[in-house]
Amino acid sequence: MPQIDTSKVSRWDQHGREHVVRVRRTGVQRTISCDTCGWRRGAQFLPWLKAQEHLAEAHQATVDPTAA
Ligand SMILES: [Zn+2]
């Protein structure tokens, strides 16, 4: 039975709105999907990097709420 886990990348835009891209892993496949606009794609490598790129390009959301 393949292990499934989910994590997410969240960024805030300049208006303080939170945008979340979820990274879902099923075996070796990873699917990333955006809660804000429904964008999704498969990403075998560096899904978090692709998530960050989408957040920055589509939503101008570049502020990492977990950054110190
Ligand atoms: Zn989006």
Side-chain angles (χ1 to χ4, degrees):
M1 197 168 167
Q3 188 184 350
I4 298 172
D5 61 48
T6 307
S7 59
K8 66 174 187 173
V9 176
S10 65
R11 289 291 184 275
W12 291 344
D13 65 19
Q14 63 267 45
H15 305 292
R17 288 183 295 227
E18 187 183 30
H19 300 273
V20 177
V21 171
R22 297 180 191 282
V23 180
R24 188 171 184 274
R25 182 163 70 88
T26 309
V28 296
Q29 274 301 118
R30 286 192 178 88
T31 305
I32 50 182
S33 61
C34 177
D35 277 6
T36 299
C37 68
W39 171 88
R40 63 167 54 217
R41 64 169 294 176
Q44 219 160 338
F45 303 104
L46 300 175
W48 296 276
L49 188 63
K50 296 206 187 315
Q52 286 173 35
E53 283 176 3
H54 171 77
L55 289 166
E57 289 170 10
H59 306 296
Q60 289 78 50
T62 55
V63 180
D64 183 352
T66 63

